[in-house]
Amino acid sequence: MLKKFKQKLFSKNINRSNKNTENIVELLKAFEVFKDIDNNVAFIQNILTDSEDVVYRELMLWDRKAILIYIDGLVDRNIIENHIIRRLQNFNEESENSILTVTDVKEKILAISNPEIVKNYNEIINGLLTGESLLLIDNEQEALTLNSQGLEKRGVEEPFAEQGLRGPRDGFIEDIDDNVAAIRKRIKDTRLKVQYHTLGQRTQTKVALVYLNDKAPEHVVKEIEKRIQEINVDSIVGSASVEQLIENHKWTVFPQVLASERPDRIATSILDGRVAIMVDGTPYNLIAPGTFAMFFNSSDDYYERSIVTSIIRIIRYMSFLIASTLPGLYVALTAYHPGMLPTTLVLFITGSRVGLPLPSVVEMLLMLFTLEILLEAAIRLPKPISQTVGIVGGLVIGQSAVQAGLVSPLVVIIIGFTAITSFVFPYYTFALTNRALRIFFLIGGAFWGLFGIVIFWILLIIHLASIESFGVRYLEDFFSFKKEKLKDTFLKDGYPSLLGNAEAIKGDKKE
Amino acid sequence: MMEKELNGVDMLAFVVHGTVGIRLLTIPRDIVEIGSNNGWMSVALSAVIAFYLGFSFYWLYTKHPNLNISQIIEANLGKKIGKIIMVAIAIYIISTIGLSLRAFTDSVKMFLLDTTPRSVLVILGALPIVYGVSKGIKTLSIVLDLLLPLVILSTILLVVLASTSVDLENYRPVLHEGLMPVLKGSLQMVHPLLGIGIIGYIMPQFNEPKRVKKWIGIGVLISIGSYLAIVTLSILVFGSEETKMLIWPTISLSKAIQLETELFERAESLFMTMWIPIAFTTMVTFYYSSTLNLKVLFDSNRDHLITYGQIPLFILIAVLPNSVVDNYKYLGWVNLLAMFFAFIIIPLVIVITLFKNRRVSNEKT
C-alpha cells in the first residue's frame, strides 16, 4: 500500500502546479491512521521526506510503543517537555498495568488545552505543518494532535506607517490569533462574529472575517464570504494577495479595500458595519468595503475636536486636488494660457525661464521623475542613510539644477509643494494612487491645457463613480445629498452622534 | 426588469443638468434679439413652460408605470406613428448633441485653445460623454450629483462678481413694445428646457417615483433661476443693444468683472473652464436619452451597438457647420423641432392617455 502511494506521489512533479498540490491533498484525504505504529511512522517519513527538522521522539506507555512527532522550531519546547513528555513518563511510574487508549491519554494524562483525536492523514499533516505535535500509539487507529505551537512572535509595538498622536499606541503583529484578540478586547459584544477560512494550497494561510452581524449589511458579508471561498491559489502571502484577489476592479489605481495596522481603526470600522479581513502573517489587516472618503480619515480624527478635524479634512481634500493636478496645471497655464495669470507673475515666470534649454513639460517630467526616484530610494535604504538621500535630493539636486540653468526655480517649488501635499494622506496606498494621477493630469495639461485637465477630471470622476466595492459605491458618501452620509466626509460631525460612517456602507441594496 | 437604482433626490441633478447647458452661454443674445431689454420677463415666463413639460413627463409616467417616454408614445399612438415620432426624437436628440458639442468646442477654441484643430476638440469633448453613458445610469447619477454644486456655485460667483458693473438704467423702458415680444422670446427657451425630457427616460429607474415630484419642481426653479440671473445680468451690464452683438454674452459677462486686486487676468478663460463640466452634463443626459430612445425604436437590447453606434453621427453633425453663425442657424431649426415636441406631440399623448383612461373607467362602471 505504501509503495503504491509512493509511486503515486513521486510519479508527478509535485513542486510545480496548483493542480498537483490539490492531488496531494486528495491523496492524503484517502489515508487514515494505520494500526501498526511503524507503518504510520514510515508513511509520515515518506511524505515529509528530506525534512530533517521533523523530530520523532519514541516513548513507552507502560508496555506499548508510542511516538511523538513534531517540527522543531514551530513548537514550544516547554510544552513538549513539561506538559507532554513528562506527563507521559510520570504516568508510567504512577500507574500499574493499564491498557491505554488514545481517549485515555487525552482525558486523563495530558495537560494541554484542546487536544484532538484525528484519523485522517490530511488533518495530521496539516497539524504538523502548523506547529501541532502528533502522538501515535501502537495498535490504535487514532492519533492525537496536541496544541503546542510556539512560534517566536514580535511584541506589540507602535504602528510603523500609521502613526497617531492621541490614539492608542498598539499596532497589530504578525499573528492572526493575537490580532483577532486585539479586536475582541475592544468590542466585547456577543454579536461580533469571527469566521476562519484557510487559503492557499501550499501556504495554508489562516484568514478571518470579523464583523458585527447586526450592523454589517448581509449582502456585503455574503459577497465577501463568497469571494474568499472562491479563492483557489497556491499561495497567500500577506493581506495584499487577498486584497487583489477579492476586489472588483483590478485595473484601477484606487484601492477598494483599506489596509490598516491599527486595531482601533479596524475596530471602529467594524462598529460602522464594515467587515474586517484579517490575514495571518501580516500586521496589515483589511477593511471592506472601502469607500473614497475612508482614505482621507485618519484614526486621529476621531480623537480630536470636530471643528479642528473638519478643517484638517478639508485641507486633505484640497491636498488631493493640488497633489494630483498642480504640475499639470502649471504646464497648462504657462504653455497655453499665460494670459490668465497676473501680469507680474507671468513676467516672473518668463524671467526665470530665460535661457532654459528644456520646454516646461519636459522640465516638469524630469523633476517628477527625480522626485519619484528620491521617494523610492528613501524607503528602500536603511534609516540613517535615507536621511542623506533627502539632503542629496532636496538640496544638491534641487539647488544645483536651478543654478546650472537646467530647470526653473518655480518648477522646483511646485514639485516640492506637490510632494509635501501628497504626504498628508493617512494611508500610503492612497498617496501612491495620487502619484499615478499626477502623471495622468500632466499629460492632459501638456496636450490640451486647462481643457485637457478639466476633461481628464470629468473622466476621473466618472471612473470613481463607477467603482463598486462589494455592492457599495466608491463615492457612496457623496451622492444623493444625504446629510447622514456627509457627516464623516470632508466635515466631521460631533461625537457621539457619529462613530465612523455607518450610513455609507449600507449601499444600494435595501436590507 | 431593470433594477431601480435611483433615489428621489437624484432627479434634482438630472433636471438641472438636463436644462442648464451650453445654451446658457448664448441664451441672453437669443432672447434679447426678440424681447430686447424685457428679455428677463421671457425667461421668467418660460418657467410656465418648464413646469408644464416637467410635470407632463411625470404625469405620463404615473399613468404608464415602468415605461419610458418612447414606449409611452408607442403605446398611445400605435407602432407605426410611434416609430416615426421616435425617429424624429432621435434626429432631434442626436443633432442637439452634435450642435451643442460644436457650440462647446467653438467656445473652447475661442477662449482656451485657439490653435488646436476642431476635430481634436470634438473628439476630446465626446470622450467623457461616451464614457459616462457606457458606465450606466447609477454612475451618471453620482457624477451629476457631484457636479450640481458646480453649476450653482459658478452661476452665483458670476452673478456676484459681475454685479459690480451693473447699470440699472439698462432695464428701462419696461414693456415698450407690448407683451408679444416677451411671449415670443420665451419660446426661445423651449429648446434648452426640453432637456427636462430626460425625466421621461429615467423615471422607470426610480425606486420611489412619488418622491420625484418635489425634486422636479425644485430643479425647474434652480434652472430657471440660473437662466434668469444670467439674462438679467447681461441686460443690466451690457444693455439690450450690445447684448445682441455678442456671440457668447455669458462669457463676455465674466470679462466685465472688475476686481480691486489683481487676482487673475482674463476671468473669461476661468469661467470657460468652469462651463466645461456644465456642457458635459447636459450632453450626457441627452446621450443617455438618445440611447434609450433608439433601443425602443429598434426593439433592441444590444447596449454596446446602440451606445457606440451614435458616436459617428453626432461627431459628423458637430463638424458639419461651417461657422459659428451656421451652427446657430441649425440650432434654430432644432428649436423648431423642440417646439413641435413640446406643443404638439406631448399634448397629443396626454390627450390620448386621458381619453383611454376615461374609456377604461367607463368600461369598469
Side-chain angles (χ1 to χ4, degrees):
Chain A
M1 195 177 183
L2 272 176
K3 267 187 184 171
K4 209 173 147 193
F5 174 74
K6 227 177 155 180
Q7 273 172 1
K8 267 186 176 179
L9 201 64
F10 294 104
S11 64
K12 289 176 182 169
N13 185 357
I14 57 161
N15 291 324
R16 291 285 175 262
S17 71
N18 207 4
K19 210 176 161 191
N20 283 336
T21 328
E22 269 174 41
N23 285 345
I24 293 175
V25 173
E26 290 307 312
L27 275 172
L28 285 176
K29 274 183 186 166
F31 283 89
E32 291 197 344
V33 177
F34 310 108
K35 207 166 183 188
D36 183 3
I37 195 165
D38 295 327
N39 278 346
N40 283 320
V41 173
F43 186 85
I44 294 171
Q45 279 173 338
N46 265 323
I47 291 166
L48 301 175
T49 180
D50 292 335
S51 306
E52 287 172 15
D53 54 347
V54 184
V55 179
Y56 300 85
R57 170 80 158 85
E58 282 189 31
L59 296 158
M60 288 304 286
L61 278 181
W62 197 241
D63 57 349
R64 287 164 80 185
K65 195 173 160 190
I67 195 153
L68 183 71
I69 308 172
Y70 57 87
I71 297 178
D72 208 10
L74 290 184
V75 293
D76 183 344
R77 285 211 180 141
N78 178 34
I79 297 177
I80 297 283
E81 281 161 16
N82 296 327
H83 300 269
I84 302 176
I85 297 178
R86 182 160 298 167
R87 298 288 295 196
L88 290 169
Q89 286 170 339
N90 285 351
F91 177 78
N92 278 345
E93 287 163 15
E94 286 162 13
S95 62
E96 291 170 14
N97 194 13
S98 164
I99 297 168
L100 274 176
T101 60
V102 169
T103 318
D104 289 335
V105 176
K106 178 189 171 189
E107 289 172 0
K108 295 175 188 166
I109 305 176
L110 295 173
I112 288 264
S113 64
N114 59 3
E116 269 181 50
I117 296 174
V118 288
K119 281 182 172 177
N120 191 281
Y121 260 105
N122 188 38
E123 287 173 60
I124 290 174
I125 300 296
N126 272 342
L128 277 177
L129 293 173
T130 48
E132 288 176 347
S133 44
L134 175 74
L135 185 69
L136 289 161
I137 303 172
D138 197 19
N139 272 327
E140 290 282 331
Q141 279 193 301
E142 291 172 328
L144 211 50
T145 54
L146 311 165
N147 210 346
S148 58
Q149 281 112 328
L151 267 178
E152 281 300 314
K153 299 181 214 175
R154 183 166 66 93
V156 174
E157 284 170 24
E158 204 174 333
F160 183 69
E162 254 181 283
Q163 305 231 326
L165 291 171
R166 253 189 88 169
R169 295 261 178 261
D170 59 333
F172 284 124
I173 57 168
E174 283 77 6
D175 186 84
I176 188 170
D177 298 322
D178 290 1
N179 291 347
V180 172
I183 301 296
R184 280 257 188 228
K185 205 171 87 184
R186 284 172 166 83
I187 309 172
K188 297 171 189 77
D189 187 345
T190 51
R191 286 159 291 189
L192 184 77
K193 304 294 167 198
V194 181
Q195 275 180 23
Y196 283 111
H197 298 263
T198 307
L199 300 181
Q201 304 283 355
R202 282 181 203 275
T203 53
Q204 295 286 316
T205 313
K206 211 165 150 189
V207 173
L209 292 190
V210 187
Y211 59 92
L212 280 169
N213 75 336
D214 59 327
K215 281 210 162 186
E218 211 186 321
H219 69 94
V220 174
V221 177
K222 276 193 176 154
E223 185 64 36
I224 296 176
E225 235 178 78
K226 196 181 117 214
R227 299 264 179 92
I228 291 214
Q229 280 161 359
E230 278 169 4
I231 292 179
N232 182 19
V233 290
D234 235 20
S235 58
I236 292 285
V237 182
S239 53
S241 333
V242 179
E243 181 184 340
Q244 281 156 29
L245 286 164
I246 61 170
E247 64 187 4
N248 290 51
H249 303 263
K250 297 204 175 353
W251 297 106
T252 172
V253 289
F254 291 93
Q256 296 137 63
V257 171
L258 188 141
S260 173
E261 50 174 341
R262 295 187 68 99
D264 57 329
R265 180 73 169 121
I266 301 260
T268 44
S269 295
I270 291 172
L271 289 166
D272 290 347
R274 290 178 208 267
V275 180
I277 304 164
M278 311 186 81
V279 182
D280 198 22
T282 174
Y284 283 94
N285 292 300
L286 310 172
I287 306 168
T291 50
F292 186 72
M294 265 174 97
F295 294 93
F296 288 87
N297 303 353
S298 88
S299 51
D300 254 357
D301 292 357
Y302 300 96
Y303 305 114
E304 297 291 351
R305 308 193 63 76
S306 295
I307 295 175
V308 185
T309 305
S310 302
I311 294 170
I312 294 173
R313 289 233 181 122
I314 291 170
I315 290 173
R316 281 194 206 125
Y317 280 87
M318 282 164 67
S319 300
F320 177 71
L321 282 177
I322 294 169
S324 51
T325 324
L326 190 66
L329 196 66
Y330 171 79
V331 173
L333 285 176
T334 50
Y336 292 92
H337 327 285
M340 279 178 77
L341 299 167
T343 323
T344 41
L345 186 60
V346 177
L347 287 176
F348 170 73
I349 294 172
T350 324
S352 69
R353 291 194 46 79
V354 171
L356 292 184
L358 303 167
S360 57
V361 188
V362 181
E363 240 179 87
M364 194 56 90
L365 273 173
L366 204 72
M367 289 310 282
L368 270 181
F369 187 57
T370 317
L371 174 72
E372 295 301 318
I373 293 171
L374 285 173
L375 286 174
E376 216 32 48
I379 295 170
R380 306 295 157 218
L381 279 172
K383 251 186 188 173
I385 313 174
S386 69
Q387 288 170 352
T388 328
V389 173
I391 297 167
V392 172
L395 296 178
V396 182
I397 298 184
Q399 203 172 353
S400 53
V402 172
Q403 278 177 353
L406 274 175
V407 289
S408 110
L410 207 64
V411 169
V412 178
I413 293 171
I414 281 172
I415 290 294
F417 191 55
T418 310
I420 292 170
T421 45
S422 69
F423 296 148
V424 301
F425 306 118
Y427 300 94
Y428 180 66
T429 325
F430 206 71
L432 288 178
T433 302
N434 211 292
R435 277 153 72 174
L437 291 180
R438 207 177 289 162
I439 297 165
F440 179 66
F441 286 111
L442 184 61
I443 294 169
F447 279 95
W448 302 288
L450 271 180
F451 181 64
I453 288 181
V454 177
I455 291 289
F456 278 30
W457 258 107
I458 296 174
L459 290 173
L460 181 69
I461 292 174
I462 298 173
H463 173 65
L464 279 171
S466 71
I467 298 178
E468 203 179 332
S469 149
F470 310 104
V472 175
R473 289 281 170 162
Y474 205 47
L475 295 179
E476 191 69 36
D477 312 87
F478 298 101
F479 66 86
S480 290
F481 313 106
K482 285 193 178 143
K483 207 172 73 186
E484 286 303 313
K485 285 184 178 179
L486 285 170
K487 273 181 176 174
D488 193 28
T489 53
F490 43 86
L491 296 178
K492 196 197 106 187
D493 192 12
Y495 211 76
S497 70
L498 166 108
L499 199 113
N501 196 358
E503 273 301 310
I505 47 111
K506 283 192 182 144
D508 302 338
K509 288 165 199 163
K510 293 262 180 296
E511 277 170 72
Chain B
M1 211 181 99
M2 261 184 290
E3 208 181 324
K4 294 180 183 265
E5 297 180 292
L6 304 183
N7 303 316
V9 63
D10 295 331
M11 183 55 99
L12 176 68
F14 277 101
V15 170
V16 177
H17 287 299
T19 48
V20 180
I22 195 74
R23 285 298 296 272
L24 189 70
L25 303 187
T26 57
I27 207 79
R29 194 201 52 205
D30 298 337
I31 285 181
V32 169
E33 266 182 1
I34 299 166
S36 65
N37 60 340
N38 297 313
W40 60 275
M41 290 187 206
S42 307
V43 181
L45 209 64
S46 70
V48 179
I49 301 172
F51 279 116
Y52 146 70
L53 286 171
F55 289 116
S56 298
F57 285 115
Y58 172 76
W59 184 82
L60 282 173
Y61 176 76
T62 57
K63 296 294 163 200
H64 308 87
N66 294 324
L67 294 185
N68 67 35
I69 191 73
S70 293
Q71 290 165 324
I72 294 172
I73 289 174
E74 198 175 50
N76 279 304
L77 300 175
K79 212 155 187 158
K80 272 187 187 164
I81 302 176
K83 296 280 184 206
I84 295 170
I85 292 172
M86 273 180 254
V87 171
I89 293 176
I91 294 171
Y92 163 69
I93 301 183
I94 293 176
S95 50
T96 301
I97 301 170
L99 298 175
S100 304
L101 195 59
R102 173 56 186 267
F104 168 59
T105 44
D106 275 341
S107 53
V108 168
K109 213 168 156 50
M110 177 95 133
F111 296 100
L112 291 173
L113 297 169
D114 45 354
T115 51
T116 311
R118 178 167 288 118
S119 51
V120 173
L121 295 180
V122 167
I123 290 167
L124 207 61
L127 200 66
I129 304 170
V130 177
Y131 183 47
V133 171
S134 73
K135 289 290 174 188
I137 184 71
K138 181 73 185 174
T139 301
L140 266 187
S141 159
I142 298 173
V143 175
L144 297 188
D145 276 358
L146 283 172
L147 293 175
L148 183 62
L150 189 81
V151 179
I152 299 169
L153 282 178
S154 49
T155 311
I156 292 174
L157 190 70
L158 184 62
V159 170
V160 170
L161 290 178
S163 57
T164 48
S165 337
V166 160
D167 181 4
L168 284 174
E169 283 301 309
N170 281 333
Y171 89 100
R172 280 186 259 181
V174 182
L175 286 177
H176 60 291
E177 288 170 27
L179 261 175
M180 268 325 270
V182 173
L183 287 174
K184 274 188 185 169
S186 66
L187 290 181
Q188 283 296 320
M189 287 289 287
V190 174
H191 182 216
L193 290 180
L194 198 57
I196 213 167
I198 181 73
I199 298 175
Y201 289 99
I202 57 169
M203 272 307 286
Q205 315 269 7
F206 282 86
N207 49 32
E208 289 161 299
K210 280 191 178 164
R211 291 206 175 172
V212 164
K213 205 174 169 184
K214 175 174 125 194
W215 296 109
I216 294 178
I218 297 175
V220 166
L221 287 178
I222 291 177
S223 51
I224 291 290
S226 310
Y227 278 111
L228 191 61
I230 299 287
V231 171
T232 313
L233 216 62
S234 302
I235 295 171
L236 290 181
V237 173
F238 304 118
S240 58
E241 287 310 309
E242 197 185 329
T243 308
K244 281 178 199 170
M245 306 292 161
L246 299 167
I247 305 177
W248 317 99
T250 308
I251 297 180
S252 306
L253 206 58
S254 46
K255 268 187 183 173
I257 296 171
Q258 290 166 348
L259 287 178
E260 293 290 318
T261 51
E262 195 188 68
L263 198 64
F264 46 82
E265 299 276 323
R266 291 191 60 172
E268 70 273 20
S269 302
L270 187 77
F271 275 95
M272 188 57 232
T273 314
M274 285 164 102
W275 299 130
I276 298 170
I278 298 176
F280 152 76
T281 51
T282 313
M283 288 188 278
V284 90
T285 55
F286 270 84
Y287 190 20
Y288 187 73
S289 312
S290 175
T291 309
L292 290 186
N293 175 52
L294 290 178
K295 268 190 184 172
V296 183
L297 176 62
F298 296 119
D299 294 320
S300 164
N301 267 328
R302 295 168 75 180
D303 275 340
H304 289 290
L305 184 74
I306 288 178
T307 310
Y308 303 124
Q310 303 167 61
I311 301 171
L313 291 176
F314 64 75
I315 287 193
L316 205 71
I317 293 172
V319 291
L320 204 65
N322 287 324
S323 63
V324 180
V325 182
D326 246 18
N327 196 28
Y328 281 107
K329 193 172 74 191
Y330 299 143
L331 273 171
W333 294 352
V334 175
N335 198 26
L336 287 180
L337 207 53
M339 280 194 262
F340 167 71
F341 289 121
F343 300 122
I344 294 173
I345 300 298
I346 295 170
L348 189 67
V349 178
I350 291 175
V351 169
I352 292 175
T353 307
L354 276 175
F355 182 70
K356 277 190 176 172
N357 274 3
R358 192 163 293 172
R359 205 168 56 186
V360 171
S361 59
N362 279 348
E363 275 171 13
K364 271 186 191 166
T365 52

